[in-house]
Amino acid sequence: MSEAPRAPGAPATHAQGSGRRRPPGESSCYAALDLGTNNCRLLVATPSARGFRVVEAYSRIVRLGEGLSQSGRLSDEAMDRSMAALKVCAEKIRRRKVLRVKAVATQACRGATNGPDFVRRVAEETGLRLQIITPKEEAQLSVAGCMSLFDREAEAALVVDVGGGSTELSWVDLKGGGLDAKPRQFAAWRLPIKAWLSIPIGVVTLAERFPEGERVEEGWFRAMVDDVKARIEAFPHAEPMRGLFESGRAHMVGTSGAITSLAGLHLGLPRYDRNVVDGLWMHRSECEAAADRLLALNARERALEPCIGADRADLVLAGAAILQAVQELWPCSRVRVADRGLREGLLMSLMSEQQKKPRRRRRGGAGRARPETVNA
């Protein structure tokens, strides 16, 4: 069995390295883990000339933030569900003999009073060192993961990352520098993000604020849209870019399970297919039509939709409401659907950070020092 992630109790602010020496010619694997309010996701990949090649992906809905908006704490049941998924991730990381791991937690752990305690428990039980990242870091990494989906003929893009407990909006200058860096020279902080906003509302928190009744009503959906709009419309820092949206020189990128579910519903897929959904262009009218189809279904009927399922049946309309709120405030005709985001950004950052230290000669100049793994 491969060496486990770094021992429990190590600081949660650095990427993890296995310390294992790999045989010549064996590809190095890197892992990015994102523990969100709703999902636990893992990607394992190897570097390639154009970025990286995914060798394993894992995703499980854990609802870590369930009830957090009312109690301010992570519940025991939610932590147990998340821990079970994290143990699966840790085993996959060991089995793949991963060279370096970057594991992050977002809004649920940021906002919960017992979030740091849970992070310590994760380290003790799995060896995984979760880093609770800031909303700004989350926004940067989401933009990084979506870079290949930008239409470079446009002048600006708005990346909308709808999570379980928060939504990040990033206004990107597509004519600015930082988008064409070589994979090993990439740095998320260099991205031309002209403004960003994080609101503490995602699909879980919005659905809890607006419980669904026996019958779905348009007024209920409209109330969700207006609640989200009220949190975004007072944000002034993106206003210099508004003209690009009004003149049709900008587009939107939507990354979230709710938005990919909308896309699958729009396409009428018999089962979800990432290869078809990721990178799909949808017009605003098509997004609204998909939301209208959802409004005509109750939760049980939504659960039967192959691209939604029981796990997202009670959350997908909240995601549609968040998307509609953004589209009403920042109207543009095109939305590109992204089944990618933070994990891919993590991998790009992780691989670009991996450098060999300068070789040190032994005294007398004889021999070579063996390469060392650098922990960022």
Side-chain angles (χ1 to χ4, degrees), residues 8-325:
T13 56
H14 299 91
Q16 294 157 217
S18 69
R20 171 186 174 274
R21 297 184 66 188
R22 309 181 76 90
E26 182 181 340
S27 296
S28 297
C29 283
Y30 297 77
L33 189 153
D34 168 23
L35 178 64
T37 302
N38 195 45
N39 282 26
C40 177
R41 298 184 177 101
L42 172 73
L43 275 186
V44 181
T46 57
S48 68
R50 299 181 61 184
F52 56 83
R53 181 179 67 87
V54 174
V55 297
E56 185 155 359
Y58 171 81
S59 178
R60 182 180 294 179
I61 292 179
V62 295
R63 300 206 180 197
L64 177 59
E66 187 174 54
L68 174 61
S69 59
Q70 285 84 32
S71 69
R73 295 178 56 83
L74 304 175
S75 71
D76 291 340
E77 295 81 2
M79 289 189 289
D80 288 344
R81 288 194 300 267
S82 301
M83 189 63 68
L86 289 166
K87 287 178 178 178
V88 173
C89 292
E91 179 55 33
K92 289 180 180 293
I93 288 167
R94 294 185 186 100
R95 182 168 51 81
R96 287 287 181 178
K97 301 178 174 62
V98 167
L99 177 68
R100 298 187 72 210
V101 182
K102 201 156 191 173
V104 302
T106 55
Q107 182 62 30
C109 289
R110 279 198 299 261
T113 57
N114 58 340
D117 293 334
F118 178 64
V119 167
R120 284 190 287 273
R121 178 187 165 192
V122 170
E124 291 169 0
E125 295 189 21
T126 71
L128 293 169
R129 296 180 296 131
L130 287 173
Q131 176 187 356
I132 301 177
I133 59 173
T134 67
K136 182 177 182 179
E137 290 174 300
E138 188 173 355
Q140 289 174 333
L141 290 167
S142 294
V143 171
C146 294
M147 283 197 308
S148 63
L149 297 182
F150 292 147
D151 177 3
R152 300 301 295 277
E153 296 299 316
E155 294 187 41
L158 172 53
V159 177
V160 183
D161 181 5
V162 183
S166 68
T167 296
E168 279 67 47
L169 294 90
S170 303
W171 288 262
V172 184
D173 177 8
L174 297 183
K175 301 305 179 183
L179 294 176
D180 297 314
K182 295 179 180 179
R184 301 300 168 265
Q185 298 173 348
F186 169 79
W189 59 269
R190 291 197 186 108
L191 292 170
I193 301 173
K194 296 304 181 182
W196 69 274
L197 170 67
S198 178
I199 60 172
I201 289 292
V203 294
V204 174
T205 46
L206 189 61
E208 290 180 349
R209 283 173 58 83
F210 293 88
E212 182 178 341
E214 289 295 322
R215 295 179 58 189
V216 176
E217 298 179 357
E218 188 174 341
W220 165 78
F221 182 77
R222 186 68 238 176
M224 288 197 292
V225 173
D226 290 340
D227 183 82
V228 177
K229 286 179 68 175
R231 297 167 185 269
I232 299 173
E233 59 189 349
F235 181 70
H237 302 292
E239 287 303 316
M241 302 186 77
R242 185 168 291 280
L244 297 177
F245 286 79
E246 292 176 345
S247 60
R249 291 177 288 165
H251 71 86
M252 195 174 293
V253 176
T255 170
S256 84
I259 294 175
T260 56
S261 294
L262 275 179
L265 183 71
H266 161 69
L267 293 171
L269 298 178
R271 60 181 178 84
Y272 185 78
D273 186 346
R274 182 186 186 276
N275 292 327
V276 175
V277 171
D278 184 51
L280 175 73
W281 285 103
M282 291 181 67
H283 290 284
R284 179 180 173 184
S285 60
E286 292 172 330
C287 296
E288 293 173 348
D292 288 341
R293 283 183 60 188
L294 288 175
L295 284 168
L297 305 175
N298 59 35
R300 185 182 65 259
E301 292 168 332
R302 291 195 299 273
L304 295 175
E305 289 289 333
C307 292
I308 298 175
D311 287 335
R312 284 201 172 94
D314 60 336
L315 302 177
V316 67
L317 274 169
I322 293 171
L323 178 62
Q324 183 165 322

